[in-house]
Each structure stands twice: as structure tokens, then as C-alpha cells.
Amino acid sequence: AGLGEFRIRDLNDEINKLLREKGHWEFRIKELGGPDYARIGPKMLDHEGKEVPGNRGYKYFGAAKDLPGVRELFEKEPLPPPRKTRAELMKSIDAEYYGYRDEDDGILEPLEQEHEKKVIAEAVEKWKKEREARLARGEEEEEEEENIYAVNDDESDEEGGKDKEGEEGQQKFIAHVPVPSQQEIEEALVRRKKMELLQKYASETLMAQSEEAKTLLGL
């Protein structure tokens, strides 16, 4: 390491030049039918017994491994932090995470009330200005909203609905669909109950005979 950066680089280049020449001789030996020393030969190890590090075939020996820009080539990137499991993430989730305790500090609620008053005041002021502008143009006041449920006395019940009258002084309403009477409702319930009992206890043959009899009788 005391030779200096430039001398170390020159020596390392010379070693790599000799290694390339050695590789050419090994390839020629294999070409002539000899053993493949590149495959069966021993690996190059440093004084610590570790394989000599390299980059794209270029090897670094001794102090050359600590030269500026070389050390960074072989430094391993730190492993990414392990990802938390779903159970670990759920441990830190409580009512405060969902905002249920935002008003406990007594700060948010007064701010919301102040903002609400401000918005209402702005809306009222805007409505007053629009109303004054309409009056200035000579437009009449808008009529009160029509009661869509109110019915005139002379309105005819074309669909057969019945007027529903409440106590004295209340509005009259019209049902625009046929309203069955209590007797009709009871008769429909009885017929439905009979059909349920027939379907539950009568056989298919008996049901067919009953339908045939009704057809013959014209029922």
C-alpha cells in the first residue's frame, strides 16, 4: 500500500497482462488436444483464502482492492428492510387512526364551528344581494312553493280514487290508485289460505281433478 496509487495501478495492470497471456497459452494447449487448464486449473486465491475479486475479467490484487473507485465495486448493497406483515401493521391501528379521536383535543370542533358560521353568513349575504338585484330590475317576488299534495275541491277523481278526509280543517288528498275495501282484502286472504292448504295437503291428482271440475262447471 506504500507504493502509491499510480505504482499500484501499474503493477496490477502488468499482472492482468500476464494473466491474459497465460489464458492464450491455455487455449492453445486445449486446441492442440491437451488438457483444459482454464476449467480444471486451481482458482486464484488471495492471502486470506478468498477468490481474487474482479470485474469483467480484470482482477485486483493486494492493495489494488483498496484504491479509490475500486472498493465501491465490491461493496455489497445493504439489504432492504424486511417488510412488515399484515399482523404487525394492524398492531398500530386504533380508533385514532380512523379519526375517531380528532375532537378529543378540543381544537378541531371550535374551528369547524367558526368555519360553518362563516360559510352560512356568506350564503345569506349572497342571497340578499341576488334578491336586491331582482327587486331593482322590477321583478316580482317569487311565489311561495306550491304544495304538490294539496287538491282542489272541484278536482274530479278520474281514476276511481277516494278522498281521504281527516279531522276538520285538514287538507284533502286523493288516492290515484284503486283502494280495496276491508271485505275484499279479507276474501283475498281466505283464498290465499285455501290455496296454501291445498298445495300442502292435496295430491297432484286431486289438484288436477279439482281444476278439471272447475273447468266443467265454468268456474
Side-chain angles (χ1 to χ4, degrees), residues 22-215:
K22 174 176 176 288
H24 293 322
W25 281 113
E26 290 174 348
F27 177 78
R28 181 58 177 164
I29 292 171
K30 178 183 177 183
E31 193 176 34
L32 295 174
D36 186 2
Y37 290 106
R39 184 173 62 86
I40 63 175
K43 296 181 178 180
M44 288 183 291
L45 305 177
D46 57 11
H47 64 282
E48 297 179 355
K50 298 179 181 180
E51 187 175 359
V52 177
N55 184 26
R56 298 182 180 179
Y58 189 90
K59 301 291 184 179
Y60 295 93
F61 299 90
K65 294 184 292 184
D66 298 325
L67 292 174
V70 178
R71 188 185 302 107
E72 290 78 2
L73 293 175
F74 308 107
E75 287 182 351
K76 294 183 179 179
E77 295 182 0
L79 296 176
R83 297 184 60 183
K84 293 184 178 181
T85 62
R86 187 177 182 85
E88 292 174 344
L89 293 174
M90 293 299 292
K91 287 180 181 179
S92 57
I93 295 178
D94 52 10
E96 187 174 359
Y97 175 83
Y98 292 102
Y100 291 121
R101 299 175 58 185
D102 289 350
E103 300 177 356
D104 291 354
D105 55 3
I107 298 176
L108 182 62
E109 190 170 355
L111 294 176
E112 289 179 344
Q113 292 176 355
E114 182 180 353
H115 182 69
E116 183 179 2
K117 292 178 181 178
K118 181 180 178 182
V119 172
I120 293 174
E122 291 176 354
V124 171
E125 186 67 22
K126 181 180 179 182
W127 177 80
K128 288 181 178 179
K129 290 181 179 179
E130 292 177 354
R131 182 169 176 269
E132 292 175 357
R134 288 198 303 270
L135 292 175
R137 292 195 301 267
E139 298 180 0
E140 297 181 356
E141 286 291 327
E142 296 182 359
E143 298 180 357
E144 295 183 359
E145 186 178 357
E146 182 183 359
N147 187 356
I148 62 174
Y149 298 105
V151 180
N152 297 329
D153 294 338
D154 57 349
E155 185 176 352
S156 61
D157 186 10
E158 298 177 355
E159 300 182 10
K162 295 184 178 181
D163 294 347
K164 295 184 178 180
E165 297 182 358
E167 298 179 358
E168 186 178 355
Q170 290 186 350
Q171 294 280 353
K172 293 182 179 181
F173 300 96
I174 295 179
H176 296 283
V177 294
V179 180
S181 62
Q182 185 67 24
Q183 183 178 358
E184 292 174 345
I185 295 175
E186 292 177 356
E187 291 176 356
L189 292 174
V190 171
R191 287 196 301 269
R192 181 178 177 182
K193 191 65 176 178
K194 286 182 179 179
M195 290 301 299
E196 290 178 355
L197 292 174
L198 285 173
Q199 293 176 358
K200 184 175 181 180
Y201 297 106
S203 62
E204 295 181 359
T205 304
L206 184 59
M207 289 289 291
Q209 292 176 355
S210 176
E211 293 294 334
E212 184 179 358
K214 289 181 179 180
T215 304

